Amino acid sequence: MATFLYRLGRTAFRRRWLVTLLWAVVLGGVGLGAAKAPAAGDDGTSFMPGIEAQKAFDLIGERFPGSDANGANARIVFIAPGGEKVTAEENRAAIDELVSMLAGGAQVDSAVDPFKAGAVSKDASTAYATVDYKVKADELTDASKDTLEKAIGQAREAGLTVEVGGTALASQPAAGGSAEAIGIALAAVVLLITFGSLAAAGLPLLTAVIGVGVSMCAILALGSALGLTMTTGTLASMLGLAVGVDYALFVVSRYREERANGHAPREAAGLAAGTAGSAVVFAGLTVIIALAGLSVVGVPMLTKMGLCAAAAVAVGVLVALTLVPALLGMWPNAVLSRKARKTKTGETGRTGRTGKRDGDVGRPSGTTGSLGTRWARFVMRRPVAVLLLGVVGLGALPLPAAHLEMGMPGAEAKPTSTTERRAYDALADGFGAGFNGPLTIVADVERAANPQAAVAAMAEQIKDTDGVVSVTRPQFNEAGNTALFSAVPATAPSEEATKDIVQTIRAKRPGLEADTGATFEVTGSTAMNIDVAQALKDALVPYLAVIVLLSLLLLLVVFRSVLVPVKAALGFLLSVLASLGTVVAVFQWGWGAELLGVEQTGPIMSLMPVFLVGIVFGLAMDYEVFLVARMREAYVHGERPGQAVVSGFRHSARVVVAAAVIMMAVFSGFVGSGESMIKTIGFGLAVAVLFDAFVVRMTLVPAVLALLGDKAWWLPRWLDKALPRVDVEGAALASQAQASAATDAGTRTREPARTA
C-alpha cells in the first residue's frame, strides 16, 4: 500500500498539469451533467417500510384514489379579540369570506368552513379552517400562496388574530450556506495559524471545495435516475467538506515535514502520499463503513444519504492522493513556512541554516509542536491518574442518555416568532393539547360481513379508550371496503402518554378482528413519529454493532495489533454516549437550554442518534488513524513504546488539534439556527468532536498506550501470518526512497533548479 501510494504521489507531482486537467474535466463534466439533468422528483419510496403507520399511510393512497396524503395543507386558526367570540356577526363574516376566497383556487382540493364542520372551541374564542391542496407543498404556485396570504391579511384587517399551521406556508430552515461559509472562514484562520503560510492554508480548502463540487454535481446529475435530491446530498456536502480539509491537511503537513528533513520536493510528495496517504486511505475506509452502514437502519432516505456521503468521502480520498500532490508540484515551496522559505529549504532540498530536523515539521519553533510533546510526556508520567480522571469525568456524561426519548419535533419545537408555533399554541389552548396530533384510524372492512356495523363498533371501542377525547364520524371510500376516522388524544403529540394511548388502541385490534372480521391500523403524523422513533431506537444497537465490528477488523489490519483497535472502539463508544447524554440533558431536560436559544424542550429528533453515531464514528476513527499511525510508524522504526507515543504526538498533535477545531467550528455554526432539529445536530456533533478529539484521542489514548507498553502492539503469530500486510507505516519506503533519490539527483544535473 505505502509503496503504491508513494509512486502515485510522485507520478501526480511529475504529471501535475495532466492530473489537474483531469480533475478539471471531471468537475466540468459532472457540472454539465447536473445542469442538463432533469429535476429529481419524488421516487415514491416509503419513508420507513414495515412500520404500521407507514403501511396504513400506503393503504390510504391505495384505497382512496385521487387523494394525496402528501398534498399541501393549511390550518388557519382564528382567534377573536379579547372578550369577543368568533361566532359574532362581523367575525363570522370575515371567516366566511376567507373560506369562499380560497375554495375557488385552481390548486385547492377543499376548503372547510369551521362553522359547518364544528371546528369552533367550546368558549367560541377560537376556530379553524382546513384547506387541502391537490399538490405537494413544493409544487404550490406563487399565485396559490399569494391568494392564501391575501385572504389571511384581509381577515386580520377585520380584527381577528390569524395564525397558519400546515405545510402550505411553512417557514423553511435557513439555508446551510451561511453556516458553511462561516465554517470555511474559521477553517482558513485555523489553517493559517497552523501552517503560517497562505498557500498551505488555502490548498486544503481549495481541494476540499473541488471534491465537494464533484460530489454534489454528481448527485444532481444522477438525481432523477436514482431518486436523489439536494436533501439527500446534505450529509455528503457537510462530510465531504470536513474530511476533504482533514485529508489534504495531513498530506500537506507530511510534505512540509519531509521537506524539512532534507528531501527534494518530488520525493517529499511521494513520501507524504506513501505515509500520510496510507492513513488517509484507511481513515476514509472507516468513514465509508460508518456511512454505508446506515443502510442497515431500514430507512430508504437514510440509505441514500449514507451512500451519497460515502461516495463524497471516497472522492475526498482520491483528491488528497492525486490533486494535492499535483498542486504541490506547481508550487513546491509556497506551502512551506516563511522561515523555511527564507532559509532556502525549497531550493536546496536541505534542512537550511538552522540544521533542525523537524520534529517541528517546518513549523514556527517553540509553539504548538512542543506543546504536543510536553503534553504527551505529562500524560506518560501520570497515566493512571489521567486515565481515571478522563474515564470518570467522561463516563458520567452518558447517564442522561439512559432516559433518551425520541420523536420528530413539529410545530411545538419552532420558535414562538413563527406563525406555525403560534397556531399550534392557539389550537392547544382552544381545543386541548392532543388536538394538534389526531390519530388517523384506517379500517379495512373488506372481509367483514357487515362493514357499517364493524366500523361503528370499532369507533365506539376506540372512543372508550382512556385518554381519547373524541372520535370523528367514519368516512367510507367509494368501494365501501375502507373507512377513515380520527381519534383525538387528551395529551400532546410528543408526550409519553400519547404513545401509551396508541399502544392501547392497537392492543384492541385482535379482539375487534375476531368479533367483526374487520381490522384497522393507526397512522397520522403522531403515530408515524412514534413508530419511526421506536424503529430507529431498535436499529441503533445493530447499527453500532455492524460498524464497530467492521472497523475493528479494518484497524486490526492497519495497526497489526489486537488491543489498539479494541481501545479505539471503546473510546468511540465513550465519546458518542457522552455526547448523546449531553444532548439529552440540554434539549430534553433543558439544562442550559436558554443559553443556546432553545425555547421548547422535548423528545430528541429520531434521526439524531443515528446521525450522531455514524458521523462521530467516522471522524473519531480519522483522529485515531492519523494519531496512532505515527506512533506505529515510530515503533516499527525502532523507537521504544513510550518514545513512539511522544513521537506520534510531536508529529501529529498539531494537525489533529487543527482538524478537530475546524470540525467544531463548522458544526457550531449550525447551533445558531432557528430550527430545533438543526440546532440539535450542530450541538451534538460539536460536543462529540470535543470529547473524542481532546479527551479520548489526545488524553486517554496516550495514557492507555503508556500502561500497555510493548503489549499494545501484540499480535498472535498465526494472526500475523494470516493478515494482509498493508504497510501503513511506510516501512518499505526506505529502499524505494533511496532509488528514487538517486534518479532525482541525476535528473537535477541535467535540468535547471526549480524555484517557487
Side-chain angles (χ1 to χ4, degrees), residues 144-231:
S144 294
K145 293 181 181 179
D146 290 343
T147 300
L148 178 56
E149 290 174 345
K150 183 179 179 181
I152 293 170
Q154 290 181 357
R156 286 172 176 163
E157 290 175 0
L160 292 167
T161 298
V162 185
E163 305 296 349
V164 189
T167 59
L169 295 179
S171 58
Q172 299 300 318
S178 59
E180 291 173 2
I182 293 172
I184 290 175
L186 291 174
V189 173
V190 173
L191 289 170
L192 185 59
I193 294 172
T194 302
F195 285 132
S197 164
L198 284 173
L203 193 148
L205 291 174
L206 174 63
T207 55
V209 169
I210 291 173
V212 170
V214 170
S215 303
M216 295 307 296
C217 287
I219 289 172
L220 291 176
L222 298 173
S224 180
L226 301 180
L228 308 177
T229 64
M230 285 300 292
T231 301

Side-chain angles (χ1 to χ4, degrees), residues 111-455:
V112 181
D113 189 316
F115 303 106
K116 295 179 180 179
V120 180
S121 63
K122 290 182 179 180
D123 61 1
S125 64
T126 309
Y128 68 92
T130 302
V131 182
D132 292 318
Y133 290 86
K134 302 173 183 176
V135 297
K136 297 179 178 64
D138 58 358
E139 296 173 354
L140 283 177
T141 63
D142 290 338
S144 294
K145 293 181 181 179
D146 290 343
T147 300
L148 178 56
E149 290 174 345
K150 183 179 179 181
I152 293 170
Q154 290 181 357
R156 286 172 176 163
E157 290 175 0
L160 292 167
T161 298
V162 185
E163 305 296 349
V164 189
T167 59
L169 295 179
S171 58
Q172 299 300 318
S178 59
E180 291 173 2
I182 293 172
I184 290 175
L186 291 174
V189 173
V190 173
L191 289 170
L192 185 59
I193 294 172
T194 302
F195 285 132
S197 164
L198 284 173
L203 193 148
L205 291 174
L206 174 63
T207 55
V209 169
I210 291 173
V212 170
V214 170
S215 303
M216 295 307 296
C217 287
I219 289 172
L220 291 176
L222 298 173
S224 180
L226 301 180
L228 308 177
T229 64
M230 285 300 292
T231 301
T232 308
T234 301
L235 188 60
S237 174
M238 180 172 64
L239 277 186
L241 182 63
V243 302
V245 172
D246 275 6
Y247 297 163
L249 170 65
F250 277 89
V251 173
V252 172
S253 176
R254 188 59 183 256
Y255 172 81
R256 285 159 55 99
E257 179 182 338
E258 297 300 339
R259 291 295 305 278
N261 286 340
H263 293 291
R266 182 179 170 191
E267 180 66 14
L271 290 172
T275 52
S278 297
V280 163
V281 168
F282 287 100
L285 282 175
T286 59
V287 181
I288 290 171
I289 287 172
L291 294 171
L294 287 171
S295 58
V296 307
V297 176
V299 181
M301 181 189 72
L302 269 183
T303 299
K304 291 179 181 180
M305 292 180 73
L307 293 178
C308 285
V313 171
V315 170
V317 171
L318 291 175
V319 167
L321 296 177
T322 57
L323 184 58
V324 170
L327 294 180
L328 289 173
M330 293 182 180
W331 301 282
N333 298 336
V335 298
L336 304 180
S337 67
R338 181 178 300 177
K339 183 177 181 179
R341 293 196 300 271
K342 284 182 178 180
T343 55
K344 307 296 184 182
T345 301
E347 296 178 11
T348 64
R350 295 187 295 272
T351 55
R353 290 190 298 268
T354 64
K356 285 179 16 178
R357 286 178 59 85
D358 196 272
D360 301 295
V361 290
R363 308 172 184 132
S365 61
T367 56
T368 311
S370 59
L371 282 176
T373 303
R374 290 200 298 270
W375 173 252
R377 288 172 178 162
F378 170 80
V379 174
M380 298 288 288
R381 287 194 300 269
R382 304 167 181 84
V384 175
V386 170
L387 185 61
L388 289 176
L389 183 62
V391 170
V392 171
L394 206 57
L397 294 175
L399 296 179
H403 304 279
L404 171 67
E405 295 178 10
M406 292 164 52
M408 294 294 288
E412 77 279 5
K414 290 181 177 290
T416 53
S417 58
T418 63
T419 186
E420 299 101 299
R421 171 63 186 274
R422 294 195 296 268
Y424 178 96
D425 291 341
L427 287 171
D429 292 340
F431 297 90
F435 190 79
N436 284 293
L439 307 174
T440 301
I441 314 299
V442 186
D444 185 352
V445 294
E446 203 166 31
R447 298 180 182 178
N450 188 336
Q452 297 283 347
V455 172

